[in-house]
Amino acid sequence: MGFRRFWALLAVAAATELAEDDECAVGSECALNAMQLRGLLKSEEASNSSESQDDPKCASLNDPANSVCAPVVRWASKGGRYDPHADNWFKDMQAISGVDYKSASVGDWQKLYFCAPPGGKQCGTPPCQCSNPPCGVCFQGNAATGANKADCDSPGKISCQPPKKALDYNGMAWDDMTVSGVGPFHVFAIGDWGGMDGSLRPIEGRPELIAYPQGAKSGPSVFPRTRWNKQHTKELCDHKAFVRCYTTMGVGCDPGCGFVKGIDDQPQTLVASAMKMHAAKKDPAFILNVGDNFYWGGIEKNCGTPMNELSYTAHHQFDQIFEGIYQGQGLSGKVWLSVLGNHDWGGRVFNNGWDQQIAYTWKSARWRLPAAYWSQHVDFPDAGFTMDIFMVDSNAMDAKDLDKDSEHNICGAAHNPPGANCAAAGGPESLATCKQWFWDLWAANQAWLAEGLSKSTADWQVALTHFPCGHESSFWVGMHQQHGLDLLVTGHRHDQELWSPNRLGGLTCFVTGGGGGISSEATPNIHNKRDWYGEAQYGFYDLLVSKSNIKITSINWILGRDEVSAVVGDFFGLKTCAALFSAFCSSLLIGKMGSRSALRVYACAPILMLAGIGRCEQAGGEMAFVLSEQTRSWAAQNPVPIPAPLSHTSGLSELLQNFLGNPALWGPLLFLVVYSAGPGYDDSLYFFYINRLRFRPTAVGRLKMAQELAKLLGILMYRYGLRRIPDRQLVVGLTAVSLPLYLTPLLLTTGAYHSFPVSPQTLAVSGELVREVVLHMQVLPVFSRFADLGPLGLESTSVSLLYSLLQTSRAINKVTSAGMSHLLGVTAHNFNHLSLLIVVCGACATVPLPLAKYIPEDASACPLFADENESTTPATEQLCLPRGALTGLEREDEDHFDLRLPEAVRLREENCQGDNAGCQRCTFSRSSPRRSSSDAMPAG
């Protein structure tokens, strides 16, 4: 009787299992697959029941908590691992479970779907058994600790171990930092840099971090925000319209969005590339990070992960958005002194994984964020000064009443989930107490900072916080005037702003919110100034620190025009080297073979060149010659993707539009074209050399070589020295210098050379040399400016257009020269009036001087911004400061706001008010009215 009951119960159990098998749901033959699955289920139960102490939260795959993931885990552990897409689907297995997905156990698969579920079906609990326990810890990477374990015997060192709760170390100081060397020292500052991690497998039912189709990739993608007009009074592009621009990469994009393909779709990468290039040259001591490290809402998991653990979500976001981006010579290993931004707290919720950013401090050798507010003492012993840096949390500015501004409210009721609670991490315990909690935190910050500044004996006191210049201004003015705060470094607004000290009671403050994690406040298209300033959007700052001053330089996303003008110089240098070689060969061949034989040889030269190029391409070779080692190094270290070129018609239209509307372009060109088109005496002089002075062909060849050598010297002088001189000063100065040089052939035509112990050939060669040097130094600034200012993707078109115009002006020069020679009766054999021709041509060279007013001055001209009465609350203003006006702080902004246009040229030229004698190089940033935060949020 007992046996019959046993077998009946077993049959019922088997029938129940068969009813749940997918293989048995359709037909009557379950066969081998169903039996294998039943065996697998039994194996899982036995496995999980045999080990339950590994993690108190663990449970069997059959547990109701895992009902969502169980079917897909079983599928993946059987046939799913052999799917053609398995490499992509299960790429996180190795990092999470420590085994390859092809050899993973069922417990490993459950762990994968608990920590980073492919497809989003997350397991409710970790497994109780897996290949590499502990099974409930999702990431066990070998991240380096930020502490020196040898120093951890000393009491009170917060670097030695993480706190039990994330905010336990609030107000405490990290170990002193020592920077060796005599300086001055570079310190970089950046903010709002962390884009969205489109390859993250979210947990807790969260959506993927993908705002548009192109965001579904490894590495960062930018979050599209809104864009407003200059005064921030009219929204020109809302979030949905901006998303469409990103989706189509600008095709059919609303012009109000100002979207620029190649820049707006990859700003974090561009800024990071600029940082890497600049760091390789400047070797910064450390980085100041003002927050918004991960868009949209910081680390995408709930707060409460134990502080000695790093969630796989946090590991993935740090790896994709931070560690994989900011590496390179001068940047790898450098400490980032950091604060949280409003988006790091959650943006519009308060229970995201902000505590994991703090925990990462003890998992990384260079990420330093041990608390919401903390301090760092930096000693520069060899240079004889110290600095105290205070990291301040100002995110209470976005903690508002429950029903206020739901898209920019950390404590709003619209998006915070019911029952949100971060008390386990030391944060707000409920939505009801959230706002008060943040404002209590701000009050604690204020008291702590005032006390810290009062006690500080360092030479420099610097505060680092997220919310920008202008927020809580009375508090910051008090910190400066009463407690000696020297510099305030901020972010939050997504551009680069350098504020006048008189806006904050003498305190110098700048905004570095252009790191590229989110789209900039205005278009990065420098030519689009109808609604924007075309300035200072994506970038970072470089602070040059010494005992006596701090020089502040804004660096744009691709560093500035130095590299472009260097490349232009190299191009013409190579071209001139080739011409010099050609002149040398011509002189040599004519002297050895005669002119007719040399002509035959040169007729074959193009055929030989084509054959050589064909042979090179056939062999798969690449011809690459770079004159400058600096440019070669820059090109090798510059991974900046080149924006896609525009269509021929629209590109040429844009180029002509920019040209006609920008005096920075046509001013120098108009001057040079008029200068080049005037009458010259070169052809007449050559006949004089041959027919009157009886120069032999070899002497003429030497003249040609002197011309090309002079071009090369002029290029090198501009390339390595003169290109930093303002354009107007350089072009006008060279023209003035060229006038007496232009008249030197009079020594030959008047016979005055007989009074000198120098042959006429030597005088002719030296005259050609000097005149050509000056001429090429005049040409290169125009070419460099064209290369700088040409529309993205049309740089070569810009230079080609310029070259065509110059060639046209030289053709006109031939006509005017022939006309003037004919008018004065100068022929191939009649040189009676050649001296008069030289004088007339020299006088004509002064004709373009009145056009010099159309050549803009550049950055060193020290222009001032709009009148102070233009706005009662301008966000920024440009400065024209006497030295020492900043109590030891020296402000400078080189021409780095945008690669394609020096800042003084891009605005209007206005004189400094008052005494100009003390003006130094000024900083440009936007002078729009101050506005509140306007971060865009996705609909819904």
Side-chain angles (χ1 to χ4, degrees):
M1 183 69 182
F3 281 101
R4 284 196 298 270
R5 184 175 182 184
F6 169 78
W7 287 112
L9 290 173
L10 186 60
V12 170
T16 303
E17 285 186 10
L18 289 174
E20 295 177 352
D21 288 339
D22 290 341
E23 293 88 346
C24 299
V26 178
S28 58
E29 297 184 8
C30 300
L32 183 60
N33 287 337
M35 290 188 285
Q36 287 176 333
L37 178 58
R38 288 196 297 274
L40 183 62
L41 292 171
K42 297 297 183 184
S43 173
E44 291 167 8
E45 292 171 359
S47 170
N48 286 322
S49 63
S50 65
E51 177 61 73
S52 60
Q53 301 304 314
D54 184 43
D55 189 326
K57 298 174 293 185
C58 72
S60 162
L61 189 60
N62 294 328
D63 190 277
N66 296 318
S67 59
V68 172
C69 74
V72 69
V73 166
R74 295 185 179 112
W75 169 82
S77 64
K78 295 191 303 171
R81 69 179 76 195
Y82 304 112
D83 190 280
H85 303 95
D87 284 342
N88 179 52
W89 290 342
F90 309 132
K91 59 187 177 183
D92 296 325
M93 177 68 84
Q94 184 71 48
I96 291 174
S97 296
V99 296
D100 185 81
Y101 71 86
K102 294 177 182 177
S103 58
S105 68
V106 176
D108 297 330
W109 286 101
Q110 183 178 341
K111 184 176 181 180
L112 172 68
Y113 275 84
F114 173 72
C115 298
K121 293 187 176 181
Q122 185 186 10
C123 289
T125 71
C128 294
Q129 273 200 341
C130 58
S131 298
N132 294 293
C135 301
V137 177
C138 289
F139 180 70
Q140 303 174 58
N142 297 321
T145 178
N148 183 351
K149 292 301 182 184
D151 298 334
C152 284
D153 294 334
S154 304
K157 291 177 71 68
I158 65 174
S159 62
C160 293
Q161 62 181 5
K164 292 183 178 179
K165 290 186 177 182
L167 303 182
D168 286 353
Y169 291 162
N170 275 355
M172 300 183 71
W174 192 267
D175 305 349
D176 291 356
M177 182 192 304
T178 300
V179 180
S180 58
V182 296
F185 306 91
H186 289 268
V187 175
F188 291 176
I190 189 172
D192 302 73
W193 49 268
M196 298 184 296
D197 181 1
S199 61
L200 177 70
R201 274 39 185 297
I203 59 175
E204 301 165 354
R206 295 167 178 262
E208 293 181 308
L209 299 178
I210 300 172
Y212 46 91
Q214 291 83 350
K217 62 181 181 65
S218 297
S221 62
V222 64
F223 183 83
R225 68 185 307 276
T226 57
R227 277 183 176 158
W228 296 63
N229 62 350
K230 291 178 183 178
Q231 292 74 28
H232 208 78
T233 56
K234 179 183 178 182
E235 185 181 75
L236 303 175
C237 180
D238 63 24
H239 172 71
K240 289 183 178 180
F242 218 171
V243 168
R244 287 193 292 272
C245 296
Y246 280 83
T247 301
T248 64
M249 287 292 109
V251 177
C253 178
D254 186 335
C257 296
F259 177 83
V260 180
K261 182 181 178 182
I263 303 178
D264 274 323
D265 55 316
Q266 53 181 350
Q268 183 183 349
T269 304
L270 294 173
V271 173
S273 297
M275 280 188 74
K276 284 185 264 190
M277 287 187 284
H278 203 57
K281 294 186 289 186
K282 304 300 184 182
D283 192 26
F286 49 88
I287 316 295
L288 301 177
N289 169 28
V290 300
D292 275 3
N293 310 316
F294 300 96
Y295 283 97
W296 170 256
I299 300 301
E300 285 292 330
K301 71 172 302 297
N302 289 339
C303 53
T305 302
M307 288 297 292
N308 61 351
E309 295 180 14
L310 188 70
S311 66
Y312 186 72
T313 299
H315 158 72
H316 197 279
Q317 288 186 252
F318 268 102
D319 183 64
Q320 293 291 312
I321 308 302
F322 176 65
E323 300 291 359
I325 303 298
Y326 302 100
Q327 300 285 358
Q329 181 184 351
L331 199 56
S332 297
K334 297 302 169 67
V335 173
W336 287 51
L337 307 180
S338 305
V339 296
L340 295 171
N342 59 304
H343 289 276
D344 299 314
W345 281 100
R348 53 185 186 180
V349 299
F350 71 82
N351 70 325
N352 273 9
W354 49 267
D355 52 338
Q356 284 284 275
Q357 291 198 45
I358 295 175
Y360 194 67
T361 302
W362 291 270
K363 301 292 185 181
S364 168
R366 61 183 188 139
W367 182 263
R368 196 164 295 175
L369 177 56
Y373 59 97
W374 59 287
S375 64
Q376 175 73 69
H377 180 78
V378 185
D379 187 13
F380 301 87
D382 301 329
F385 71 96
T386 56
M387 176 182 286
D388 280 339
I389 306 173
F390 299 88
M391 273 52 70
V392 180
D393 191 293
S394 54
N395 292 291
M397 310 306 131
D398 257 13
K400 306 167 187 176
D401 291 334
L402 296 177
D403 57 344
K404 302 292 185 183
D405 195 7
S406 62
E407 305 307 311
H408 309 97
N409 185 358
I410 301 173
C411 300
H415 300 291
N416 273 288
N421 186 347
C422 280
E429 64 180 16
S430 69
L431 188 56
T433 61
C434 177
K435 176 186 174 183
Q436 189 60 47
W437 186 93
F438 273 99
W439 283 96
D440 288 346
L441 180 70
W442 172 236
N445 270 262
Q446 292 175 299
W448 165 79
L449 180 60
E451 181 182 3
L453 288 171
S454 298
K455 292 180 178 179
S456 174
T457 59
D459 296 278
W460 292 104
Q461 289 86 28
V462 177
L464 185 73
T465 195
H466 181 64
F467 270 75
C469 313
H471 284 268
E472 297 286 307
S473 56
S474 60
F475 166 73
W476 292 114
V477 169
M479 292 300 100
H480 169 66
Q481 295 180 348
Q482 300 169 27
H483 299 287
L485 179 65
D486 295 305
L487 177 65
L488 178 59
V489 184
T490 73
H492 191 66
R493 273 197 300 270
H494 311 128
D495 56 13
Q496 304 291 99
E497 305 172 11
L498 186 50
W499 276 47
S500 165
N502 61 23
R503 296 293 179 190
L504 288 173
L507 174 63
T508 297
C509 178
F510 65 83
V511 177
T512 179
I518 192 170
S519 56
S520 56
E521 297 284 335
T523 180
N525 179 359
I526 62 166
H527 304 297
N528 189 345
K529 298 183 180 181
R530 185 186 64 183
D531 296 304
W532 301 290
Y533 290 100
E535 285 285 349
Q537 297 307 306
Y538 300 118
F540 64 100
Y541 276 92
D542 178 8
L543 281 60
L544 187 62
V545 182
S546 66
K547 184 173 183 177
S548 60
N549 59 61
I550 296 178
K551 185 190 299 182
I552 304 171
T553 305
S554 178
I555 309 296
N556 188 40
W557 58 270
I558 197 165
L559 278 183
R561 72 174 192 160
D562 283 352
E563 285 74 16
V564 171
S565 56
V567 171
V568 170
D570 287 350
F571 167 75
F572 280 99
L574 291 171
K575 180 177 178 294
T576 304
C577 284
L580 182 60
F581 178 74
S582 173
F584 173 76
C585 292
S586 299
S587 177
L588 185 65
L589 288 173
I590 291 172
K592 296 290 185 182
M593 305 172 60
S595 57
R596 291 184 179 275
S597 299
L599 183 61
R600 294 190 187 99
V601 172
Y602 269 96
C604 299
I607 299 174
L608 295 174
M609 291 175 62
L610 288 173
I613 294 172
R615 177 65 183 273
C616 180
E617 291 190 354
Q618 184 179 9
E622 179 181 347
M623 302 179 69
F625 303 93
V626 180
L627 181 66
S628 162
E629 179 64 32
Q630 176 188 359
T631 302
R632 185 187 299 113
S633 174
W634 169 70
Q637 296 174 9
N638 179 16
V640 178
I642 299 174
L646 303 173
S647 69
H648 175 75
T649 305
S650 64
L652 186 58
S653 171
E654 180 182 352
L655 180 60
L656 292 175
Q657 246 184 349
N658 294 332
F659 174 78
L660 294 174
N662 195 338
L665 284 168
W666 57 256
L669 181 60
L670 179 63
F671 182 94
L672 198 58
V673 165
V674 173
Y675 181 83
S676 302
Y681 54 70
D682 288 342
D683 293 337
S684 299
L685 197 60
Y686 267 95
F687 281 111
F688 176 78
Y689 290 153
I690 296 170
N691 295 333
R692 175 66 63 86
L693 299 182
R694 303 299 178 185
F695 282 12
R696 296 177 61 82
T698 52
V700 177
R702 282 195 292 269
L703 275 175
K704 192 65 179 175
M705 285 181 59
Q707 281 187 340
E708 300 304 331
L709 180 61
K711 293 176 184 178
L712 183 60
L713 289 175
I715 289 166
L716 293 175
M717 290 176 66
Y718 174 76
R719 169 72 170 76
Y720 293 104
L722 299 179
R723 62 193 171 99
R724 299 188 183 278
I725 297 176
D727 287 351
R728 185 187 301 172
Q729 295 179 26
L730 181 61
V731 174
V732 174
L734 289 172
T735 302
V737 170
S738 71
L739 291 179
L741 297 176
Y742 209 80
L743 301 177
T744 54
L746 289 173
L747 295 172
L748 295 171
T749 60
T750 61
Y753 69 91
H754 293 295
S755 304
F756 301 97
V758 180
S759 68
Q761 290 89 347
T762 303
L763 279 176
V765 168
S766 59
E768 289 288 339
L769 186 68
V770 175
R771 284 190 294 121
E772 287 292 333
V773 165
V774 173
L775 179 62
H776 264 69
M777 285 192 294
Q778 285 177 300
V779 170
L780 280 172
V782 182
F783 271 95
S784 295
R785 185 170 293 282
F786 257 74
D788 288 348
L789 307 187
L792 291 172
L794 289 175
E795 291 84 354
S796 60
T797 305
S798 303
V799 175
S800 298
L801 176 62
L802 173 60
Y803 206 80
S804 300
L805 290 172
L806 287 180
Q807 291 299 99
T808 302
S809 69
R810 285 170 181 168
I812 297 172
N813 164 262
K814 295 296 182 182
V815 175
T816 57
S817 299
M820 188 61 67
S821 298
H822 178 74
L823 184 64
L824 296 177
V826 177
T827 67
H829 299 282
N830 182 4
F831 305 107
N832 293 335
H833 298 116
L834 180 57
S835 297
L836 179 59
L837 176 64
I838 292 172
V839 172
V840 170
C841 291
C844 289
T846 65
V847 170
L849 284 176
L851 300 174
K853 65 181 180 180
Y854 296 112
I855 303 176
E857 292 286 1
D858 65 6
S860 59
C862 222
L864 197 67
F865 268 21
D867 189 277
E868 291 217 8
N869 296 325
E870 179 177 317
S871 169
T872 55
T873 55
T876 63
E877 72 172 16
Q878 186 179 16
L879 295 180
C880 199
L881 298 174
R883 298 188 185 278
L886 299 185
T887 318
L889 271 162
E890 182 178 306
R891 295 163 52 93
E892 176 173 321
D893 184 5
E894 298 178 353
D895 48 354
H896 293 315
F897 272 109
D898 198 288
L899 163 70
R900 324 184 80 73
L901 192 57
E903 62 273 16
V905 173
R906 278 176 298 227
L907 258 98
R908 49 200 173 277
E909 295 181 55
E910 299 179 13
N911 295 322
C912 290
Q913 296 179 355
D915 181 14
N916 252 9
C919 280
Q920 53 189 81
R921 299 183 70 182
C922 301
T923 300
F924 169 73
S925 51
R926 307 184 338 169
S927 57
S928 58
R930 187 184 310 139
R931 65 269 189 188
S932 61
S933 167
S934 58
D935 297 342
M937 290 295 294

